[in-house]
Amino acid sequence: MGKKGLSDKVRAKRKETSKHVPNPFEVKVNKVKNVVVNKKLQSWEKGLPGISRSKAVKKRKDTLLRELHHSKKSNFLLDKRFGEGDSSLTADEKMVQRFALEKKKQLQGKDFNLDDNEETLTHYGQSLAENLQDTVHSESDDDDEQAVKAVTGDLQFGGLTTNESNVSWKDKMKDIIADSKKQKYERQAQKEKVVETTSELDTIWKTVVPSFERLMQRDPPSRKPSNYMMLFHNLVMEQKSAGASDKLKTDEEKAKEEAEKLQVLEAQRLSRMKGDTNETKLKHVSADDLNDGFALEPQKHRVSFSNLSNTNEEEGLEDEENEDGDQDKEDESGAEESGEEEDEDNSDDEDEEVSDNFSDLASDENEEDDDEEHGSGERLKGSDKKVSSSGNKEATIKPILKKHETKPLDKKISGKKNSELPFVYSAPGSYEEFAALLHGHSSEEQSIILSRLRKCHHPSLAEGNKDKLENIFKYLMQYFGKLTSSESIDSMLIKSVTSHLWEMSQMFPAAAASYLQEWLLDQQKQCANSVQHRKNAMSTCVHLHTMLHLSLIEGTFPTSDYRHPVTTPALCFLSQILSECCVKSMRDCVIGLFLSAQAIQFVGLSKRYIPELVTFLHGLLVLGADENEASGVKTFPPLKANNKRHDLLQVQNKCDVSGEWSITEMRLNDSLDLETDNYRCGAIAKTVDILQKCIDLWEDLPDVAAAMKPLKEPLSILPVQNYPESLKASIHHLKMKIRETDAKKLQVMQLPAKKPEPLKLFEPKVEEFWSGKKKKGGPNRELNERQRLSHKIKREMKAAVREIKRDNEVLATHQLEVITRKDAERKRKTKDLMNSLANQEGDYKAIKRAKH
Amino acid sequence: MADTGSTSSVVRSIKSKAKKVVADHKHSNLILDLLKHTQSDLDHVVCASCKATGKVFCHFLSTGHLLDTGKTTVAEEDLSKEDQFCAWLKEQFTTAWEILCDHLTNPTGSIAECAMTTLVSLLEAEGKQSSHGFGPRLIEGILRQLLTSEVDQSELIELFPAVLLAWGEDSSEICSLCLAHLKNLLKEVETPPGDKYLSNVWRVLKKIASQELKDKSRRQMTAVVCRFLKLQMPTKLYREVLVSISSIMEKMSSPLMLTDFLTESFNIGGAISLMSLQGLFILMTQYNLDYPDFYTKLYSMFEPQVFSARYKARFFLLADTFLTSTHLPSYLVAAFAKRLARLSLHAPTPALYISLPFIMNLISRHPACEVLLHRTEGPYEFEEDPFQPNEPDPKNAKALDSCLWELQTLEMHIDPNVAEKAKKRKIVETDLSGLLETTVSDIMESEAKKIKKDIPVNFERMTELKMPSGFVL
């Protein structure tokens, strides 16, 4: 309402122009020095000075002088007629109201007046009844009612000030809008009708086509096809190919695509590994670059794996699908089918394969029925087929469903037990519910439950599923934490949970990251506390679940990234444990070695340097060295020179290296005695092994010799005589390697030469869209606004001063007028008096003369 | 319940008795009752009676009944009744503050505190009088109890400044009194004193040093501190002394007297020598101490253990200030830089946050050391690093012939911030104080916050937890 539309403006303009044309003698145009074509004249260049001045004077007289007049009066007249001061009422309305009031007043006190002297309606003083009769009779032949109405309205009732232009604009527009709406609706209805008829025709056509086909087959091909037949054939062909999809890819193509995708991913990983700085260095710099930081398009490095990997996963699984079609089906869709029907299933393998997962989903919906009808294979099969066919149709629409294929589980076990598991699970609202859902099931069953949970809540199925699935993911993480911190470790279960976790982390990398980050920070805090309290044995701050979580992080997130929100803190935490926790027992040693090996895995691709790893392994070697000789070796903290358990890893007798260490057993089984020579020897072997890997990784570092130098001393004083041959050989090899690093030549360090700065070229400032005016003001918006406002204040002030001057002028002229008028009056009066006196004197003298 | 009821009634009666005594001297015999209550078993009663006696004697101190007239030897019969009353009052007063002083060593903290505040109020009341007859004796009593070897009086010593300020804003008189008493008390100690006693003494000294001292008391302070430092101290207290000695040094007339102590501790090695650095530094910079092999010693202190020491922040800050001077020979600065770089190769991550800017600070202050980063003359390749890491004398370490290859190695450090710092090698001076307290949790938290969107994940499928080689689940 507040805004004026264009139509309002146009209307107002028309009104104004039509109102009056200014007298050319009154118009004054200031002389302009330079005439510019098409330039609008400013307000001060042209105007009606005489008229506006007289207007202003008149206004002042009406207001200011009236005020002056009233200033010394104590009372004044009030106009109390109805609606006199009310501008909202039109003259007509005022009159009507006044008339009504008058009537009312007349009727008052005449309640019991029995005379029904009806009022005669008049128009311009004439009786309306007579007038009406005349006109109606005369114009009754006209067809157009509207015209009649308009004419009669004009003639008979248009007598007051109302005329056509006074009908409210709003009403007019309303009419127009209603009109257009109506037209639109009609058009739409027509269109719908057309569509209906065409579809009807189509159905008829479809019924007709088969009969024609039969006809066509019978027709001998020798006949030359007519135009009509050509068209007809075309139409038939079109109909057939309507639902065609992209061509199927061959295996080679698939493999190639996959390889390409992997290459892209690897390239991205490498770029992240190098960190962002390298990328900017490689950026091409033009010779004309002004070095002002201006670039045409900012380079974007957005790596989102989630989409890519999903498709990747999908494709990768297609192969598996072929092999495992049978099993899958049994695991999921055909879980309730008995073994006899396997053959039949094989026959419609293709159908099933495409619909595989979906049939499962669809059958989920009929879960209750299925359970009831468990025994009757026939009916079940029928329903299954139905489902599969429906799945076939929709498989093209929802191909996403395919990708949630889980690894086929052990056929024999699942075949028996799956039947007891329900197919549809509602999303657990809390971790407790989630845990309750999985409680009491075997690891295979739990895996099945998890995969079903995920399928039931796939984001493509319903609106809020994504959040639900994310919650499930979080619970699964918690579940993983609980599994790994429990007393006994179920490796199968952990394995299946891990694979689920990985798959879901592809979907929700942010959730995975935030959970693991939180876990890391929490663990780190606990560890820092234990270090502060000087209970810093490694086994007090590192538990089995810590190690397994770190493994999970390593599997889920790329450890090679230069900077990653999860793996960087994880590595930091790892290195802190290695640098701050003491080795006080064999168990600590096992943990330390595990973490060291893990650290090496973390940096396996990026070849980053971990100082803490070297110092830790150095410490282990010192612990394994001869007690007497080891006392002189310089140690790194936290290992102290006067350590109580200096012989922790010292091998006393001949021993053998044990193979792989089971971390769960060593961590959880308290009865296992680790303090034997075999384990000690194994620890030394592992240390040497890890060191070997370290050197291999860091070979290219310029100063690797200095980094490895401290290792020489403890290596040379190890009690080699008790070690098995293989360990001896590897120690020898390690020594050789270290010696090799020593031989490496060091290049002189030089700072990179500074690039000469190019001369700055100044280009003219070109504005792409020039508005025709120079832009005022600078870029500072606040300053501009302030300037604008101060300018406005100045102008307003000037205007106000001018107005006051003019007011004073008017008042002064008025006062002068009054005074002159008074003077003139007084003069006239004295003149009159003098006249009369002169006459009197004359008369008196005349009488006197007459006496004489 | 009945017990608490009875105690509260006793407390109330104590209060009313005190009021009575204050109101009228006729009831002065009630003081005996009050004193009796101070020996009670109940904590509340003791506290209340302490307060009450304090109130009563404060009143008598202000009325002038307890002024020392000096007529102590006059026979009792010769005294007027008024004088007799005064003498009796003095007797009671003496017993009262003796009891209060005894209470200072009370194992119940509230009683000790109560006694302390009462004594302070007595001292204050005494201070308002023209002559301080009881003051010195009172102070001696308090000190004797505070410096007990049986109880750790750290909480009461927190209240000790109130004693020092008891006689108005100018605390010099009481301070000098205290110091004199301390001196005497330290003289009395002959057998190796207890740990608690020593720490109490040190705390009291610190409190006194926190006041403004005049020349006389400064001299006394010097004597007391010297005498104190000669005593055998436990390691913990030794460290504490080293940490806070700088504040006491300012209040001594001749801080150079501490030289022996500080050099001795500097030579001990380890954390102790680390902490004696600050005191030595003050002596060297403000009192012109000449310490010949200071930088060689400092050089020898750059060991791997420094990064895990508890006072590493202080050490690096001090070392940075020691090496600020541009008049140091460049071989020395280069040796320090190179040695720290070597240490950084085996340092934990948070330490690298300090050491790298430290090295850059050194190089930026001494442009002659820029050869470490940018060598244009001499051979292009070295067979091995010319630097001698095991050389104790920085003069012979040949650091200036070497380069900081360690920084190139650290470019590959796992922490991206460290790697970036090592890579940039910007020769600028940075303020270390903000970096000194960096911990692993800080680093992890800031890293965890870095990227929020688009977290990259592995594209290789993980079917099971990958165990490092040599380990199985």
Side-chain angles (χ1 to χ4, degrees), chain B residues 188-207:
Chain B
E188 286 168 20
V189 176
E190 278 176 20
T191 51
D195 298 353
K196 282 175 184 166
Y197 172 77
L198 285 170
S199 63
N200 285 338
V201 173
W202 183 248
R203 288 201 186 108
V204 168
L205 269 177
K206 269 204 287 187
K207 290 288 171 217

Side-chain angles (χ1 to χ4, degrees), chain A residues 247-260:
Chain A
K247 122 185 167 187
L248 281 174
K249 282 166 185 159
T250 62
D251 284 351
E252 282 169 26
E253 275 177 331
K254 268 187 223 160
K256 199 180 159 194
E257 244 174 50
E258 206 173 309
E260 274 171 10

Side-chain angles (χ1 to χ4, degrees), chain A residues 744-758:
Chain A
K744 209 173 145 193
K745 279 183 182 173
L746 289 165
Q747 282 187 0
V748 161
M749 266 171 94
Q750 284 186 339
L751 290 177
K754 272 181 191 166
K755 262 186 284 175
E757 247 181 56

Side-chain angles (χ1 to χ4, degrees), chain A residues 443-444 480 483-484 486 488-499 548 662 664, chain B residues 463-465 467 472-473:
Chain A
S443 55
E444 289 86 9
F480 179 80
L483 278 183
T484 50
S486 66
S488 59
I489 293 288
D490 185 349
S491 58
M492 273 304 285
L493 184 54
I494 286 184
K495 190 177 163 183
S496 67
V497 167
T498 315
S499 71
L548 295 184
S662 165
T664 43
Chain B
T463 49
E464 56 181 329
L465 286 180
M467 289 292 125
V472 289
L473 192 68

Side-chain angles (χ1 to χ4, degrees), chain A residues 224-234:
Chain A
K224 202 185 174 186
S226 64
N227 267 356
Y228 171 75
M229 285 313 282
M230 292 268 277
L231 188 67
F232 171 80
H233 277 293
N234 277 346

Side-chain angles (χ1 to χ4, degrees), chain B residues 174-388:
Chain B
I174 291 193
C175 280
S176 75
L177 267 175
C178 284
L179 285 170
H181 285 306
L182 264 178
K183 203 174 170 184
N184 292 333
L185 285 171
L186 282 174
K187 259 181 208 164
E188 286 168 20
V189 176
E190 278 176 20
T191 51
D195 298 353
K196 282 175 184 166
Y197 172 77
L198 285 170
S199 63
N200 285 338
V201 173
W202 183 248
R203 288 201 186 108
V204 168
L205 269 177
K206 269 204 287 187
K207 290 288 171 217
I208 295 174
S210 65
Q211 304 294 326
E212 279 297 315
L213 295 182
K214 284 185 179 168
D215 282 350
K216 185 193 163 198
S217 28
R218 274 169 187 263
R219 252 174 277 134
Q220 282 173 321
M221 184 64 134
T222 314
V224 171
V225 169
C226 285
R227 192 169 284 278
F228 174 74
L229 292 179
K230 272 174 199 155
L231 299 172
Q232 197 86 40
M233 272 181 278
T235 327
K236 202 177 162 195
L237 182 65
Y238 201 93
R239 282 189 188 155
E240 205 186 314
V241 167
L242 282 173
V243 167
S244 50
I245 203 161
S246 58
S247 63
I248 287 191
M249 210 183 272
E250 289 166 15
K251 299 290 158 69
M252 285 166 68
S253 60
S254 49
L256 284 176
M257 300 280 272
L258 293 174
T259 314
D260 276 348
F261 172 71
L262 286 175
T263 44
E264 231 168 74
S265 34
F266 188 58
N267 290 335
I268 287 175
I272 299 267
S273 63
L274 233 161
M275 284 150 53
S276 63
L277 271 177
Q278 187 160 19
L280 273 181
F281 177 67
I282 293 172
L283 286 185
M284 281 163 71
T285 50
Q286 292 173 17
Y287 301 102
N288 293 328
L289 178 71
D290 186 28
Y291 196 94
D293 282 337
F294 179 74
Y295 281 102
T296 322
K297 281 269 169 57
L298 187 67
Y299 186 71
S300 70
M301 282 167 72
F302 277 78
E303 283 287 327
Q305 277 73 17
V306 130
F307 290 126
S308 62
R310 218 192 289 172
Y311 300 93
K312 115 189 138 176
R314 182 187 288 269
F315 172 74
F316 277 102
L317 203 61
L318 284 173
D320 196 43
T321 37
F322 293 147
L323 295 167
T324 318
S325 165
T326 47
H327 297 301
L328 293 174
S330 54
Y331 71 82
L332 185 79
V333 178
F336 272 104
K338 183 72 186 171
R339 183 154 180 144
L340 192 57
R342 265 295 159 87
L343 291 185
S344 304
L345 275 185
H346 301 108
T349 313
L352 292 174
Y353 277 70
I354 310 172
S355 68
L356 292 182
F358 192 95
I359 292 170
M360 286 307 155
N361 275 358
L362 289 184
I363 293 173
S364 71
R365 282 175 205 142
H366 304 273
C369 295
E370 262 181 50
V371 283
L372 290 177
L373 292 181
H374 185 63
R375 188 177 291 280
T376 48
E377 290 161 9
Y380 181 68
E381 268 187 341
F382 287 98
E383 287 292 330
E384 56 174 4
D385 199 339
F387 176 67
Q388 302 290 322

Side-chain angles (χ1 to χ4, degrees), chain A residues 262-279 282 303 305 558 560-563 604-608, chain B residues 456 459:
Chain A
L262 279 175
Q263 271 176 3
V264 169
L265 289 172
E266 182 63 17
Q268 283 169 346
R269 190 192 66 74
L270 281 174
S271 76
R272 275 184 279 123
M273 185 171 101
K274 280 170 195 157
D276 295 327
T277 46
N278 267 12
E279 277 174 42
L282 286 171
V303 183
F305 263 168
S560 61
D561 282 16
Y562 184 72
R563 174 171 262 153
L605 285 168
S606 58
K607 299 189 175 179
R608 309 277 282 276
Chain B
F459 53 85

